[in-house]
Amino acid sequence: MRTQLKNARLIDGTGARPVADASVVIEGETIVHAGPLARGDEPTGDARVIDVTGKTVIPGLIEAHLHLSYNNVKAIADLDLNCPPEYSTLFSARNAELVLKCGYTAARSAGSVHAVDVALKRAINEGLYPGPRLLAAGRDICATGGMADWNPSYLKLGMDGLALIADGPEQIRAAVRRVIKDGADVVKCYVGGDALLPHTPIADCTYTLEEVRALVDEAHMRGRMVSAHVRGERSSEVAARAGVDSIEHATYANDETLKRIRDAGLTLVPGLRYLYSIIENGPRFGITEEIIGPSGLRDEIKQAADTYRRAKDLGIRMCPGGDFGFAWNPHGEYAKDIQVFVDVIGFTPLEAITCATRRGAELMRMQDRIGTLEPGKLADLVIVDGDPLRDIGILQDRARLTVMKGGALV
Ligand SMILES: [Zn+2]
């Protein structure tokens, strides 16, 4: 079965300027043509023709920092302590469908409770549930007293659902092996602190270089990707030197660390919308002025704009991925992180779309199959009612998006 989208304004995701009056021709799940069609080259026979006059066709969007198993929680204990894994699995499936409806045909997890992502990815791939192409993470790996080890010792709870606590190269290697055994594609680790968690402030670095190197070595030996949460300069430097594949946030990274990230070809995922959301909406959910105030997140947001602009100027690969899944930063608002790429970091709308498509595919190591609209690629695309280069915000309006994944309309 052939499908032709005709009269499209085509943004192919390569970074090229839009092409008017283009056609995208799809056979089965694969693109066979994307661009203007010479007269007489239109598909004939039983081709399904969809006229998209006035609309823009872009590659399916890619969310680079996603937590499907965080169900818009109001408190961190709701991530696992107050939530059985069976229930996490159910709402994760609902979140995955929402991701797809928002125009995101692929996503990379940045951590999951238990191994919920792994089961979900399987269910999506088997066609049981609609959802994006997914790189699954398992439980986070974190040091004793690190960011994800927040249950006080006297409660004797340890940390089970969300993270594996591991110290020293030997324990860390064992933790990586466990995460891989449970089916993860992505090994997520916490190297730095976070303003939200007073026991590990932003500037904290909770793993040594030796420890992160062991983690990366073990994960790479098994072909897995490493994603590291860092915010302060020290943790950013350690993650960059250890050669993690993607650096999440790195808000206070200095020029030397940014150059290291660039030279090693690592990817930076700012997750910047999260900061705006927590400042705008956090107080309604009990996030205190101490956390948000001038020396907390407000300082970080000022620093963020500066750091990410320098990162952009250095040519570091950057991908939108907004850390959604909290009450103050809920699922469904994914494209808000593309908006901050334009409004705050200074990407043009076309560049921001490239970051959210081609660059995301590179991060996922799926660039030979997705991320751009070219012959031979999978037909993952979004038909946008309007022109996102005039207003990038329309990507947030689900009513204006028609989504296709693998040649099938969602
Ligand atoms: Zn996150």
Side-chain angles (χ1 to χ4, degrees), residues 22-318:
S23 281
V24 180
V25 183
I26 298 148
E27 204 168 277
E29 58 174 18
T30 309
I31 295 167
V32 294
H33 175 88
L37 266 182
R39 207 178 278 277
D41 283 353
E42 282 92 354
T44 50
D46 65 347
R48 168 176 65 167
V49 178
I50 303 171
D51 190 335
V52 294
T53 302
K55 297 177 179 172
T56 308
V57 176
I58 64 172
L61 299 167
I62 297 173
E63 163 69 28
H65 184 126
L66 183 72
H67 300 285
L68 288 165
S69 63
Y70 295 10
N71 199 31
N72 300 341
V73 296
K74 295 186 181 71
I76 52 174
D78 297 339
L79 289 175
D80 64 340
L81 278 183
N82 299 331
C83 188
E86 295 84 351
Y87 188 61
S88 300
T89 309
L90 291 171
F91 63 65
S92 294
R94 196 204 52 183
N95 286 337
E97 182 173 9
L98 179 58
V99 169
L100 192 56
K101 284 181 174 165
C102 289
Y104 287 74
T105 51
R108 186 191 63 137
S109 178
S112 143
V113 297
H114 302 281
V116 166
D117 274 357
V118 177
L120 185 61
K121 176 186 166 182
R122 176 177 166 185
I124 292 169
N125 289 349
E126 290 178 355
L128 292 176
Y129 291 97
R133 301 180 199 282
L134 190 62
L135 283 190
R139 285 182 281 177
D140 308 320
I141 297 178
C142 180
T144 296
M147 184 180 144
D149 186 25
W150 54 62
N151 294 320
S153 304
Y154 62 83
L155 289 177
K156 299 187 172 58
L157 286 168
M159 172 54 74
D160 183 45
L162 188 75
L164 294 169
I165 306 305
D167 300 301
E170 289 310 306
Q171 282 185 15
I172 287 168
R173 284 182 185 274
V176 172
R177 288 171 187 170
R178 174 64 192 270
V179 167
I180 292 173
K181 176 187 172 186
D182 291 345
D185 307 302
V186 179
V187 177
K188 171 72 183 282
C189 61
Y190 282 91
V191 178
D194 199 285
L196 186 63
L197 295 153
H199 74 285
T200 47
I202 286 171
D204 275 19
C205 180
T206 54
Y207 269 139
T208 63
L209 178 58
E210 184 198 13
E211 288 175 308
V212 185
R213 276 192 172 140
L215 187 148
V216 170
D217 183 58
E218 192 67 36
H220 284 179
M221 202 157 66
R222 304 285 300 279
R224 302 313 198 275
M225 179 186 299
V226 177
S227 153
H229 171 104
V230 297
R231 290 198 184 272
E233 162 48 33
R234 177 101 190 271
S235 57
S236 302
E237 186 199 336
V238 165
R241 288 172 78 112
V244 306
D245 300 277
S246 78
I247 304 221
E248 318 297 315
H249 318 305
T251 331
Y252 291 86
N254 64 23
D255 282 335
E256 198 185 331
T257 293
L258 290 176
K259 282 192 189 119
R260 203 183 285 279
I261 291 171
R262 191 232 4 232
D263 294 346
L266 314 180
T267 301
L268 175 61
V269 182
L272 182 52
R273 177 60 215 177
Y274 176 89
L275 295 183
Y276 284 90
S277 293
I278 201 167
I279 286 176
E280 281 169 28
N281 308 320
R284 283 193 284 127
F285 299 100
I287 298 194
T288 62
E289 185 56 23
E290 204 180 346
I291 285 168
I292 291 175
S295 56
L297 288 164
R298 277 187 220 286
D299 181 73
E300 185 171 5
I301 221 162
K302 254 189 274 161
Q303 182 61 42
D306 180 63
T307 302
Y308 301 142
R309 278 179 209 154
R310 281 185 285 124
K312 172 184 178 293
D313 291 345
L314 282 168
I316 292 173
R317 183 190 303 111
M318 293 165 80

Side-chain angles (χ1 to χ4, degrees), residues 101-103 382-385 394-395 397-403:
K101 284 181 174 165
C102 289
V382 188
I383 303 163
V384 184
D385 188 1
I394 64 174
L395 296 179
D397 184 356
R398 251 181 285 158
R400 301 174 77 154
L401 310 178
T402 304
V403 186

